[in-house]
Structures are given as structure tokens and as C-alpha cells.
């Protein structure tokens, strides 16, 4: 205080910055205001400060050291015999995710593997430039992103699909706080997993929850409660919580529920979480909740200040993952290049969990010297076949009959798919006569869960898609597969998508080339089962191809075409589509991966004449995937898609093809401009098949008139063209009308 005005100003600025870090600082400041600036007149504030320094400083340091030790390592499962779990430093392996400061308004009813890849990235890039804002994890409690006007205490909800990195993000947040990098406004951070909280069936309180994990707090918690503004509580995985927390339930405001305002009052775990988020318990504290989108509705009426969603990896973030995964940058570049060039695999790589599977399965192809590029997986069935092949190669010889064991694992996996169950217990293993082993650990991860005061082991597949694939393999290991046709039909007809990816795997495994690696360790798949699967796919495609009048019919047909794609069976595709002349998906949103599948199908079939993709939200990326097969259709309808000039240019490539059969082409309202029209007309200069062309509702102006004149006079096959509702002037329209009547000899 005797250093002058500048020193006093710095001191007061420092107090402001320390306000949320130091308990009782408000009392100290009030004491200064009452007693003045002379330290000799401040016995009470000085005593309070000494109490903090002597009692809580050591506990806070111990807490940081504990959290740092718990979070500094990242454990990643492998499929290698020599190394079941790879332990790395979190800072070395953590790849930044894209997080946006809102949650997109959409209903996620489809399987997470079916989520879009490249158009997901285009969506992100487009909307981040507009209304959506990227937010760093250290900004989740900044007032600039908050929807609440409260100055102290806030709640943040972060949503994301399975495997997108929510739990790893929480680990990184805790580690960064413990190492002093972020959130230093919080004196203490307490992190819980809803999965662990499920085992607490009795009434408890917040004090017991904390002491169970951090017993060194002892009797200091009462001092901790005095500064709730300095506390951050993290609850990870709301979707895994068995007890329902409904913030719209008015009964929670009853007297019994309202009693959970004391951190030492015993109540249900759900009431503790509810009261913390709603600000009834320790008002002023902050809370972070993570969840899958499927449980977001539970938080709609909660006092959430900041909503955020993890979009996963986009652009260079995907590449960074592979660079961090592989020690050899050359291998990392080769693997990512293969992923980038394959739409199926690239679509998966927005999700860290899929990146992990891709890296494990593809890595050996680019590290072995004698490798065959033709064998590198191109479909998801081929990818997972090689993933399981590696497990069998490294662990299969440790047991006598791997075929029988994998059959039982697959049967358990299928029951899980049927019941939407992803966590299995010792009781499940006993039911299917399975015992923990090094071989089994290649498929099932062991997790510790709490059960009252003890801990028990539960099991889960590394990812849902691995569970689905093992379930599909089991169908080919059943000795007598007579009922498989009925089984497949029932699974395909379910109203939700729980069997969708499972059925793709079944269809893909019917290809002998795909199954060959697995048969090396499991023995031959029954020929009759393979034939029945192929027959089922063929008949299902035939049955669904004439049922496209409804949205459900179109979706069902598209699914069966995905089965064809996974089978990679040219003869099957030609037999299934041999009499199909029309494919219509009008009004149905198609992803780039859907477009890649359709292109594959059309490329194998010579009978499809009418191809209707109007109102399908196809963008440039989708047309690029469709491109190789478009020239084979006689009537092509692409109106009302966001193709733009670059997309129309890709259509032009089909028109340039010497074998082009396109006679009728609809390109209404596709975003074509004068620049694109010139290139389009040039492409048509060598075409001899086009008879009808619709370019209405685009952005053509008088600048395009000379090119259109040239088109009309030089394209001998063209009989009809529509150019209405463009941006021509009166003069331009008059000039175009004059072309309606051909002159002598024209």
C-alpha cells in the first residue's frame, strides 16, 4: 500500500482476477473497505486469508496432482499380441475437435456410421462462416457464449454422437485445469461419469460422492462449500445414466425434492445432479454435462447457459489424427491418402473412434514391404474383415476352437444389437459359455464399474460397429442356416435402423474374396448360407425396386442397394437389376456415400433408363461420386439440387462421354450461371444423344445468349429446350424467342 498509486491499482486489478480463486476474498475486500488500507487495522481479513493459505492450499495442490496423474495418460486398445493396450501421453495423442457454440436442430435416428462425411464438412465450413461459431473448450464458461444473464455460475451442455470424443475432451479439460492452463477461475474441479453413478442405489449426498473419489478432502469440504463460485462439477455421459432426470417434471419442485439444497443432505443421485444444474445446490457453482444427442431432450427445460456440439474432425484435423497415431509420417500420409480417396472410408473419418479402427486395419497395408494394393479395404465389410483377421492372426492360436468361440461371441453381440445393448456382464459371458482370455480381449474391452462399495467388471465391444460385424460373422458360423432367409427379411423390415449396418455386413461377407481371410482361421463358411444370403439380396432388390412411391419405400430400396455395394458382386447386381428400368429417389436426401453406392450400381447395370434425383439435396461432392455412371441413363433428372457451376461441369463430363445415352436432361434450379453455361455448351458440342434439355430457374443472363444460340444451331439431336424463369432482359428473351422457328434448312 506504500508503493504508490500505480502499485495500488495493480493490486486491486489482481484482486479482481483472483476473485473466483480465493475463498473469502469478498470478505477481505469488505474488511479493507471498513478498516481502510492500513494492514494493522485489518485483523479479521488477514486471519481469513491465513486460514485459506494454511488449510486449503495443500488440499488444492494435492487435488491437482491427483487429477493430473489420472488424466495425463491416454490408454488406447490395440489388436496386437505384444501390446493389448497402448499407453501414450495425452498431450501427444490428443487431436483437436471442432466444437460449435450451439446444438444443431436435427433428429438423429440413424446409425452413427451412416452420418455424412464430406457434406458434413461442407455444412460445417458453410455455417461457421455464417450463423454458427466455433468455441474452444476453455471458452465454455465465458459470458460471451452464455444465454443466461447470471453473472456467477453457469451450466454448459456438450452433445456429440458416439465415439466423437466427448469423454476424451473431458479428460483434456481436467488435465488442462490441473496443469494450470485453463479455468483458473475455478478453485476445484470434480469430475464424475454417469456410468459409475448408476451403481449407487442408495441415498447419498454430494459430500460422500466427492470423498469416495477424493478422500484427502476430509473435513475441508465445509470450507470448499463457502465459495461455490470457485467450483466446477463435470458429469460425463448423461445418455448412460439409468435414472431419469426430467427438468420439465414439475414434481421436482415439491418440498421433498427441494430439500436437496445442502451438500450433506442425503437424496438420490439424480436429485443431486438436478439441484446442481438448476442452481438449487451450491448456488453460483458451474456444471458441465456431456451427452449423446439422443438424451438432449432431457435438458431442454434445464438452466443451461451454453449449448455446444462436437462436430468431430474436419479437414486437416482428420489428417492430424493419423499423423499422431503413426510414428512414421510416411505411413500416416499413405493411410490418410487412401482414406481420403475412398468416399466410404472418408465418411467414417470425421469420428475419432472410426479413425482408430481405420488406423488399426489399414496400417499394416502401408507398413509391410510386400503388399498388394488391390487388397487394401475399400468397403466397410472389407475393412472390418481385416480388423478381425488381425485379431485372429495375433490371438487365435491361443485357443483350441476359435470358430466356436467367435460364434458364441457373435450370438451375444447379435442379442445386443437386437436389444440395443452395448454393455455385457459376467452373467452374459456365462450364458454364452465364454471365459475372459487374451483372445476374447481382442473383441471385448473390460471396464470397471461401481456396485455399492465394491467394483465389478463389465464388457463392451470397442465400438458398436465391431459388435455389429461380429454379430454378422456369427450368421455364417451357424452350422445350419436354414432359417436365415426369414431372419434377414425380419431384420430388414424393422422400422428403426438398428439392423441396417449389420445387414450390410452380412451382405458383404457373402463375397468369397472378403471372407477369405476370416476363413483361414475360422474354417470355410457354409456354401448354402452364402448362397441364401445372395438370393435374399437379389430378391429384396427386385421387390423393392418397384416400391418407390413413398419415402419408406425409397429408403428401403436404397438400403438394399447398399447391400449390393457391400457384396461387390457384379453378377449379383446384374441379376438383381436386370429388369429394372427406373430408379427414383426424388425428394429424399442423399449423402455422398449414397451417391457413391448409386454410381456403383448403375455402373454394373445397363438397363436403367430413367434416373430421378430431383430435390435430393445433392451438392458438388455428390455429383462427383455419381459421375462415372451418369452417361448410361437415358433420362436424367437433377433439378432442384445445389450443383452450382462446378457440379454442372461434372454433368458435362457425362455428356462428353462417347458412349453417352442421355436423351432427356432436367437441370432446373441447380445454380447454373453464365460462366458455367459456356462450359456446358462446349461439352454438348460433341454430344449426339440429347433431345430434350431443361435449364429453367437458373441464373442465366444475356451473356449466355450467344452460347445458347450456338447450342441450338449446332446440336443436331436437340428437339426441345426450356430456358424460362432465368434472368434475361427483354432483349435477350426476344432474341431467344426468335430461335423457336427454325429457318430454311435448319
Amino acid at each position: 500500500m506504500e508503493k504508490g498509486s500505480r502499485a495500488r491499482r495493480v493490486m486491486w486489478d489482481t484482486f479482481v482476477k483472483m476473485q473466483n480463486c480465493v475463498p473469502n476474498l469478498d470478505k477481505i475486500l469488505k474488511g479493507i473497505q471498513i478498516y481502510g488500507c492500513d494492514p494493522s487495522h485489518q485483523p479479521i481479513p488477514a486471519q481469513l486469508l491465513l486460514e485459506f493459505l494454511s488449510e486449503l492450499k495443500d488440499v488444492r495442490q494435492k487435488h491437482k496432482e491427483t487429477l493430473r496423474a489420472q488424466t495425463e495418460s491416454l490408454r488406447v486398445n490395440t489388436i496386437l499380441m505384444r501390446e493389448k493396450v497402448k499407453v501414450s501421453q495425452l498431450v501427444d495423442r490428443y487431436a483437436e475437435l471442432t466444437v460449435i457454440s450451439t446444438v444443431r436442430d436435427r433428429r438423429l435416428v440413424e446409425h452413427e456410421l451412416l452420418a455424412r462425411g464430406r457434406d458434413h464438412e461442407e455444412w460445417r465450413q458453410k455455417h461457421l462462416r455464417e450463423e454458427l461459431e466455433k468455441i474452444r473448450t476453455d471458452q465454455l464458461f465465458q459470458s460471451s457464449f452464455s444465454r443466461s444473464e447470471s453473472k456467477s455460475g453457469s451450466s454448459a451442455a456438450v452433445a456429440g454422437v458416439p465415439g466423437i470424443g466427448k469423454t476424451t475432451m473431458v479428460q483434456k479439460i481436467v488435465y488442462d485445469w490441473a496443469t494450470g492452463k485453463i479455468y483458473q477461475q475455478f478453485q476445484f474441479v470434480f469430475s464424475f461419469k454417469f456410468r459409475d453413478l448408476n451403481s449407487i442405489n442408495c441415498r447419498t449426498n454430494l459430500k460422500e460422492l466427492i470423498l469416495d473419489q477424493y478422500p484427502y478432502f476430509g473435513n475441508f469440504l465445509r470450507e470448499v462449500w463457502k465459495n461455490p463460485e470457485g467450483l466446477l462439477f463435470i458429469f460425463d455421459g448423461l445418455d448412460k445414466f439409468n435414472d431419469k432426470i426430467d427438468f420439465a417434471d414439475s414434481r421436482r419442485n415439491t418440498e421433498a425434492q427441494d430439500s436437496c439444497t445442502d451438500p450433506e443432505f442425503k437424496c438420490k443421485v439424480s436429485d443431486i445432479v438436478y439441484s446442481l444444474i438448476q442452481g438449487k445446490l451450491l448456488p453460483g457453482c458451474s456444471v458441465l454435462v456431456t451427452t449423446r444427442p439422443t438424451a438432449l431432450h432431457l435438458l431442454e427445460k434445464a438452466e443451461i447457459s451454453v449449448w455446444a456440439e462436437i462436430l468431430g474432425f474436419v479437414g486437416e484435423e482428420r489428417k492430424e489424427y493419423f499423423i499422431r497415431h503413426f510414428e512414421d509420417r510416411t505411413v500416416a500420409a499413405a493411410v490418410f491418402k487412401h482414406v481420403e480417396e475412398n468416399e466410404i472410408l472418408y465418411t467414417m473419418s470425421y469420428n475419432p473412434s472410426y479413425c482408430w479402427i481405420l488406423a488399426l486395419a489399414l496400417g499394416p497395408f502401408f507398413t509391410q514391404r510386400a503388399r498388394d494394393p488391390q487388397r487394401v479395404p475399400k468397403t466397410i465389410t472389407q475393412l472390418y474383415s481385416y480388423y478381425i483377421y488381425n485379431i485372429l492372426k495375433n490371438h487365435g492360436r491361443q485357443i483350441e476352437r476359435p470358430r466356436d468361440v467367435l460364434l458364441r461371441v457373435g450370438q451375444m453381440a447379435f442379442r445386443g444389437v437386437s436389444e440395443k445393448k452395448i454393455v455385457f456382464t459376467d452373467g452374459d459371458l456365462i450364458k454364452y459359455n465364454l471365459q475372459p482370455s487374451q483372445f476374447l480381449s481382442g473383441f471385448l474391452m473390460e471396464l470397471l464399474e461401481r456396485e455399492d462399495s465394491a467394483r465389478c467388471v463389465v464388457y463392451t465391444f470397442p465400438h458398436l460397429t465391431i459388435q455389429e460385424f461380429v454379430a454378422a460373422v456369427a450368421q455364417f458360423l451357424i452350422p445350419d442356416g436354414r432359417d436365415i432367409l426369414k431372419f434377414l427379411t425380419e431384420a430388414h423390415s424393422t422400422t428403426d435402423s438398428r439392423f441396417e449396418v449389420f445387414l450390410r455386413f452380412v451382405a458383404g461377407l457373402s463375397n468369397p474374396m472378403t471372407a477369405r481371410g476370416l476363413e483361414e482361421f475360422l474354417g470355410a463358411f457354409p456354401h448354402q448360407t452364402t448362397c441364401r444370403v445372395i438370393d435374399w439380396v437379389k430378391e429384396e432388390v427386385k421387390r423393392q425396386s418397384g416400391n418407390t412411391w413413398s419415402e419408406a419405400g425409397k429408403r428401403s430400396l436404397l438400403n438394399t442397394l447398399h447391400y449390393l455395394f457391400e457384396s461387390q458382386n457384379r453378377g449379383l447386381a446384374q441379376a438383381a437389376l436386370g429388369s429394372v428400368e427406373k430408379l427414383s429417389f426424388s425428394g429424399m436426401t442423399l449423402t455422398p456415400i449414397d451417391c457413391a453406392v448409386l454410381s456403383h450400381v448403375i455402373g454394373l447395370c445397363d438397363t436403367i433408363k430413367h434416373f430421378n434425383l430431383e430435390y435430393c439435396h445433392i451438392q458438388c461432392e455428390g455429383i462427383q461420386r455419381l459421375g462415372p455412371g451418369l452417361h448410361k441413363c437415358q433420362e436424367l433428372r437433377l433439378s432442384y439440387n445445389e450443383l452450382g457451376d462446378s457440379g454442372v461441369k461434372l454433368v458435362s463430363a457425362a455428356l462428353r462421354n462417347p458412349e453417352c445415352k442421355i436423351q432427356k436432361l432436367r437441370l432446373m434450379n441447380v445454380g447454373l450461371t453464365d460462366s458455367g453455361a459456356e462450359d456446358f455448351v462446349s461439352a454438348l458440342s460433341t454430344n449426339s444423344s440429347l433431345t430434350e434439355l431443361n435449364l429453367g430457374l437458373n441464373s442465366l443472363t444475356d451473356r449466355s445468349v450467344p452460347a445458347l444460340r450456338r447450342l441450338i444451331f449446332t446440336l443436331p439431336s436437340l428437339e426441345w429446350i426450356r430456358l424460362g424463369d432465368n434472368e434475361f432482359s427483354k432483349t435477350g428473351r426476344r432474341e431467344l424467342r426468335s430461335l423457336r422457328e427454325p429457318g430454311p434448312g435448319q
Side-chain angles (χ1 to χ4, degrees):
M1 296 302 298
E2 298 175 354
K3 295 291 185 180
S5 60
R6 183 175 182 275
R8 288 194 293 271
R9 187 163 57 251
V10 172
M11 183 190 72
W12 285 109
D13 289 342
T14 304
F15 281 162
V16 172
K17 292 178 182 178
M18 295 171 63
Q19 194 167 6
N20 290 328
C21 303
V22 182
N24 303 321
L25 181 59
D26 284 341
K27 295 180 180 178
I28 295 172
L29 297 178
K30 288 179 181 177
I32 292 176
Q33 293 173 349
I34 295 172
Y35 296 105
C37 295
D38 187 346
S40 64
H41 293 160
Q42 303 173 42
I44 296 178
Q47 181 183 353
L48 291 172
L49 184 58
L50 286 174
E51 286 178 3
F52 164 70
L53 293 175
S54 61
E55 294 180 355
L56 287 183
K57 185 177 180 180
D58 292 342
V59 172
R60 189 168 188 252
Q61 186 61 32
K62 171 69 174 176
H63 188 52
K64 285 198 167 191
E65 291 173 356
T66 300
L67 293 184
R68 177 173 181 170
Q70 291 176 350
T71 59
E72 64 184 355
S73 298
L74 190 63
R75 298 171 62 86
V76 180
N77 281 41
T78 73
I79 53 179
L80 302 177
M81 186 172 184
R82 66 181 184 272
E83 187 181 36
K84 188 172 77 170
V85 177
K86 184 176 181 179
V87 180
S88 306
Q89 292 297 303
L90 177 66
V91 293
D92 295 333
R93 291 295 306 277
Y94 186 78
E96 290 293 339
L97 299 158
T98 293
V99 184
I100 56 173
S101 59
T102 186
V103 177
R104 289 177 288 170
D105 183 18
R106 70 189 192 280
R107 296 176 62 190
L108 290 178
V109 295
E110 62 181 2
H111 190 292
E112 64 267 22
L113 179 58
L114 311 181
R116 289 167 285 184
R118 291 186 195 269
D119 67 333
H120 165 93
E121 182 172 341
E122 291 175 1
W123 180 93
R124 176 261 188 187
Q125 292 173 343
K126 175 182 177 182
H127 289 277
L128 280 184
R129 290 194 300 267
E130 297 171 2
E131 71 271 18
L132 297 182
E133 187 172 12
K134 187 173 180 179
I135 179 173
R136 300 193 311 270
T137 52
D138 63 332
Q139 297 174 315
L140 289 171
F141 296 97
Q142 285 189 5
S143 58
S144 57
F145 294 100
S146 177
R147 299 181 184 178
S148 172
E149 297 182 359
S150 173
K151 295 183 180 180
S152 64
S154 62
S155 298
V158 178
V161 298
I164 203 69
K166 300 182 294 296
T167 297
T168 307
M169 180 198 72
V170 166
Q171 181 178 343
K172 185 66 162 52
I173 287 175
V174 174
Y175 176 80
D176 284 348
W177 176 82
T179 54
K181 295 178 181 177
I182 65 171
Y183 292 155
Q184 289 310 292
Q185 71 268 35
F186 297 123
Q187 181 187 352
F188 295 102
V189 172
F190 301 106
S191 182
F192 303 93
K193 295 181 184 299
F194 276 109
R195 188 183 65 218
D196 293 336
L197 298 177
N198 283 333
S199 59
I200 303 177
N201 300 317
C202 57
R203 296 171 72 85
T204 186
N205 57 38
L206 184 58
K207 177 181 177 180
E208 291 179 354
L209 289 181
I210 293 176
L211 290 179
D212 184 54
Q213 290 196 36
Y214 315 109
Y216 46 81
F217 273 91
N219 296 321
F220 293 118
L221 282 177
R222 291 193 176 181
E223 288 298 315
V224 172
W225 307 145
K226 293 179 181 179
N227 181 35
E229 291 83 2
L231 304 180
L232 170 61
F233 294 92
I234 301 177
F235 295 95
D236 183 31
L238 175 62
D239 51 281
K240 297 183 177 69
F241 193 40
N242 292 338
D243 197 2
K244 186 177 180 181
I245 308 178
D246 189 353
F247 290 87
D249 189 355
S250 59
R251 289 176 296 179
R252 286 206 176 266
N253 292 321
T254 62
E255 184 176 351
Q257 302 287 358
D258 223 21
S259 299
C260 192
T261 58
D262 184 336
E264 298 187 19
F265 178 83
K266 290 198 172 185
C267 55
K268 294 172 62 178
V269 172
S270 58
D271 293 332
I272 295 174
V273 178
Y274 171 87
S275 299
L276 284 171
I277 293 176
Q278 296 298 82
K280 298 177 180 295
L281 176 60
L282 298 179
C285 73
S286 296
V287 183
L288 169 62
V289 179
T290 71
T291 181
R292 294 182 182 182
T294 51
L296 266 178
H297 65 282
L298 298 175
L299 297 172
E300 286 180 355
K301 300 297 183 180
E303 296 293 329
I304 302 296
S305 309
V306 176
W307 296 88
E309 179 185 5
I310 303 178
L311 297 185
F313 296 145
V314 292
E316 290 299 308
E317 295 167 350
R318 304 179 190 224
K319 186 176 182 179
E320 182 187 354
Y321 178 93
F322 292 97
I323 291 174
R324 289 178 176 268
H325 182 90
F326 295 102
E327 295 179 0
D328 188 333
R329 281 180 168 262
T330 304
V331 174
V335 171
F336 180 70
K337 184 174 184 294
H338 179 74
V339 170
E340 195 174 28
E341 291 174 349
N342 187 296
E343 182 62 34
I344 308 297
L345 305 185
Y346 189 83
T347 297
M348 298 171 66
S349 67
Y350 81 97
N351 189 312
S353 286
Y354 294 128
C355 285
W356 170 74
I357 295 171
L358 287 164
L360 288 178
L362 296 176
F365 286 98
F366 298 94
T367 54
Q368 299 167 354
R369 292 182 179 179
R371 64 177 186 266
D372 182 4
Q374 298 300 319
R375 292 187 61 235
V376 181
K378 296 180 176 62
T379 69
I380 57 172
T381 308
Q382 292 171 358
L383 180 78
Y384 281 82
S385 291
Y386 196 75
Y387 175 88
I388 300 300
Y389 168 83
N390 275 313
I391 295 177
L392 292 167
K393 181 179 179 180
N394 288 301
H395 303 295
R397 293 183 176 87
Q398 299 173 7
I399 56 175
E400 292 184 8
R401 306 184 68 181
R403 183 186 182 104
D404 291 345
V405 174
L406 193 57
L407 171 60
R408 295 196 295 271
V409 174
Q411 290 173 327
M412 184 180 74
F414 177 75
R415 183 171 69 87
V417 173
S418 303
E419 300 174 2
K420 296 186 176 181
K421 177 179 179 179
I422 62 173
V423 177
F424 303 91
T425 65
D426 283 324
D428 294 313
L429 266 61
I430 293 171
K431 180 178 180 180
Y432 289 93
N433 194 22
L434 295 169
Q435 295 182 355
S437 65
Q438 189 76 3
F439 174 71
L440 197 62
S441 67
F443 302 96
L444 291 174
M445 296 165 49
E446 295 182 4
L447 299 176
L448 283 176
E449 289 207 346
R450 300 160 53 88
E451 187 169 314
D452 297 330
S453 59
R455 287 181 177 267
C456 63
V457 177
V458 296
Y459 307 87
T460 182
F461 289 85
H463 198 271
L464 173 59
T465 47
I466 295 176
Q467 178 178 334
E468 291 167 315
F469 183 81
V470 174
V473 172
Q475 306 310 310
F476 290 86
L477 301 180
I478 298 174
D480 188 357
R482 286 178 298 176
D483 295 331
I484 195 167
L485 291 177
K486 179 182 177 182
F487 162 76
L488 293 174
T489 301
E490 291 176 353
H492 179 69
S493 62
T494 54
T495 55
D496 58 27
S497 61
R498 75 180 71 181
F499 294 113
E500 195 166 323
V501 172
F502 161 79
L503 288 172
R504 293 184 188 183
F505 285 140
V506 172
L509 287 168
S510 69
N511 187 316
M513 294 294 291
T514 302
R516 181 176 298 171
L518 298 177
E519 290 179 326
E520 181 181 332
F521 296 96
L522 301 176
F525 288 177
H527 181 68
Q528 283 188 330
T529 300
T530 299
C531 290
R532 285 170 180 154
V533 171
I534 292 174
D535 289 341
W536 175 78
V537 172
K538 180 174 66 176
E539 294 304 317
E540 200 64 28
V541 172
K542 287 182 177 180
R543 188 172 71 87
Q544 298 294 341
S545 59
N547 183 28
T548 58
W549 54 272
S550 67
E551 179 76 14
K554 293 172 185 176
R555 172 59 61 187
S556 188
L557 173 59
L558 184 61
N559 286 340
T560 60
L561 297 183
H562 273 275
Y563 306 155
L564 272 184
F565 176 81
E566 287 298 320
S567 73
Q568 292 290 295
N569 188 327
R570 184 182 186 89
L572 171 60
Q574 291 174 336
L577 295 168
S579 60
V580 176
E581 295 187 350
K582 181 178 180 180
L583 284 178
S584 175
F585 297 97
S586 176
M588 179 179 173
T589 299
L590 297 178
T591 70
I593 191 172
D594 293 330
C595 293
V597 168
L598 291 175
S599 178
H600 173 81
V601 169
I602 294 173
L604 297 178
C605 182
D606 296 321
T607 61
I608 297 176
K609 297 179 180 179
H610 308 283
F611 196 25
N612 187 348
L613 300 178
E614 294 183 336
Y615 296 97
C616 287
H617 302 282
I618 297 173
Q619 299 179 5
C620 184
E621 181 65 30
I623 281 293
Q624 183 178 353
R625 295 293 156 185
L626 282 165
L630 292 179
H631 70 280
K632 302 183 69 173
C633 307
Q634 294 181 15
E635 180 179 2
L636 183 59
R637 304 174 74 108
L638 294 171
S639 299
Y640 300 95
N641 288 295
E642 300 174 19
L643 305 184
D645 289 340
S646 55
V648 174
K649 187 174 183 178
L650 294 168
V651 178
S652 301
L655 295 169
R656 282 195 179 97
N657 192 307
E659 299 180 359
C660 179
K661 298 179 181 179
I662 300 175
Q663 297 178 12
K664 299 179 181 180
L665 179 61
R666 302 289 189 268
L667 290 173
M668 291 180 65
N669 196 11
V670 294
L672 180 64
T673 69
D674 294 330
S675 299
E678 183 64 38
D679 184 79
F680 180 72
V681 170
S682 298
L684 283 172
S685 62
T686 59
N687 183 278
S688 59
S689 63
L690 194 65
T691 60
E692 296 184 10
L693 175 64
N694 192 332
L695 296 177
L697 290 171
N698 282 293
S699 302
L700 304 179
T701 71
D702 291 358
R703 288 175 53 200
S704 297
V705 171
L708 294 171
R709 284 178 59 90
R710 190 166 69 252
L711 169 66
I712 293 171
F713 282 104
T714 59
L715 193 62
S717 61
L718 190 62
E719 299 174 356
W720 180 86
I721 182 172
R722 179 184 176 185
L723 299 169
D725 298 309
N726 275 282
E727 299 175 9
F728 302 117
S729 67
K730 290 183 179 180
T731 303
R733 288 196 294 270
R734 190 180 306 116
E735 185 172 353
L736 289 171
R737 288 194 196 100
S738 69
L739 301 176
R740 284 179 174 176
E741 298 297 331
Q746 294 179 338

